[in-house]
Amino acid sequence: MTTPARLPPGGRAQSSKQVLWSLAPSVYAPTLLEFAGLSALMPVIPLLALDLGFAAWQAAALTTVFGLTSFLGPIPAGRFISRVGARRALVSTGVLLVLSNLVAFMVLTPGVHGDPGPRHQLTFLGLLLVMAISTQVWQLGRQAYLGTALPPTMRARGMTMFGGVIRLGEVIGPLLGALVMALGSDTGVFILFAVTAAAGTVMIAIFLPPGETRPTSRRPRGERIPHSTARSRLDRAVLSRMAMVGLGIAPVMMARVNRPVIVPLLG
């Protein structure tokens, strides 16, 4: 009797690598580009705020915009992604991210190098809010796509690699931002962020398959629609648990946001 053929020991690992590499142009490379641009901007926000006439404590408070959107943004961002699909949500917010950085460069540069006023301060605050919301959609959209694109046995590895790419971007970004500032342009970090966001958006538009995470509205035959009262109770229970988790993670998010803010102010 002949024994059945076995896969080589490295066959499964090789296939796993192929799956992860196939996600590089649609998920991992855009994530690296986005976080490189965002991490280049974050340490410069308080410095630009000081140049625009904010007090030191106001400059530090500005970066809480990103922390608040991380806390309050997942629910509306998730609904937006589920309604229009991951690809369309990522491309639209990517374009918005590019435009907001270009507007920030054109509007804020005269204020930083000239006589800043309330118009520059309000513009700065509004554009930071737009960037924070767009970044939130980008993060959730790619995580949602990974949840469907990766097989269950590879999700932990894929999500871990996603987090590792974010950390790599957080290392590269400040170095690029420091290089731009060394060339004599503090507001040049907006151009840097616009370029990285544009490159990531183009990669998503080209390589991310449309409709991967868009839910279907059809129900299986025989499935009953739950009663509105029971459904509302379930929604309240889920929201209460999410609120508790959010409150627990809020101090961690605050610490993560404050880390790249306090050091530039002390410097």
Side-chain angles (χ1 to χ4, degrees):
M1 180 181 294
T2 59
T3 57
R6 294 182 179 180
L7 290 175
R12 183 174 298 179
Q14 186 67 24
S15 62
S16 300
K17 290 180 180 180
Q18 291 176 353
V19 172
L20 293 177
W21 274 110
S22 67
L23 295 173
S26 61
V27 177
Y28 296 123
T31 300
L32 177 63
L33 291 168
E34 178 213 355
F35 273 90
L38 178 62
S39 300
L41 176 63
M42 287 296 291
V44 187
I45 289 177
L47 305 180
L48 294 176
L50 294 177
D51 292 336
L52 293 174
F54 287 93
W57 67 271
Q58 293 173 333
L62 278 178
T63 54
T64 59
V65 170
F66 290 89
L68 287 175
T69 54
S70 297
F71 177 63
L72 301 175
I75 294 178
R79 289 181 176 176
F80 174 65
I81 294 170
S82 64
R83 178 171 298 180
V84 304
R87 182 171 180 266
R88 187 176 298 178
L90 291 172
V91 171
S92 60
T93 53
V95 172
L96 189 61
L97 197 58
V98 173
L99 293 177
S100 61
N101 276 279
L102 294 177
V103 171
F105 176 78
M106 292 184 293
V107 175
L108 298 179
T109 299
V112 171
H113 298 288
D115 186 18
R119 178 175 67 91
H120 298 97
Q121 296 176 351
L122 291 176
T123 301
F124 189 39
L125 179 59
L127 291 174
L128 287 181
L129 182 61
V130 172
M131 295 177 194
I133 294 173
S134 301
T135 303
Q136 187 68 29
V137 174
W138 266 43
Q139 295 181 31
L140 288 179
R142 278 166 299 185
Q143 290 182 37
Y145 176 74
L146 281 176
T148 57
L150 289 172
T153 56
M154 290 185 58
R155 283 176 188 164
R157 188 184 308 178
M159 289 295 183
T160 302
M161 188 172 178
F162 181 76
V165 170
I166 291 176
R167 300 299 177 267
L168 182 60
E170 291 176 345
V171 173
I172 297 175
L175 296 177
L176 295 177
L179 177 61
V180 171
M181 296 179 68
L183 296 176
S185 176
D186 292 352
T187 55
V189 292
F190 291 116
I191 298 296
L192 174 63
F193 197 2
V195 170
T196 59
T201 302
V202 170
M203 296 185 72
I204 290 173
I206 295 175
F207 296 107
L208 188 70
E212 282 290 334
T213 59
R214 190 167 184 174
T216 178
S217 59
R218 297 180 180 177
R219 291 178 177 269
R221 291 185 177 181
E223 181 180 348
R224 300 179 60 185
I225 301 177
H227 193 271
S228 58
T229 304
R231 185 172 184 177
S232 63
R233 290 176 181 174
L234 178 61
D235 291 342
R236 286 197 298 268
V238 172
L239 288 176
S240 64
R241 292 190 181 96
M242 292 178 64
M244 293 180 64
V245 173
L247 289 175
I249 202 173
V252 179
M253 295 302 301
M254 292 177 184
R256 291 181 60 184
V257 173
N258 283 334
R259 177 168 49 89
V261 175
I262 301 302
V263 174
L265 289 176
L266 290 175

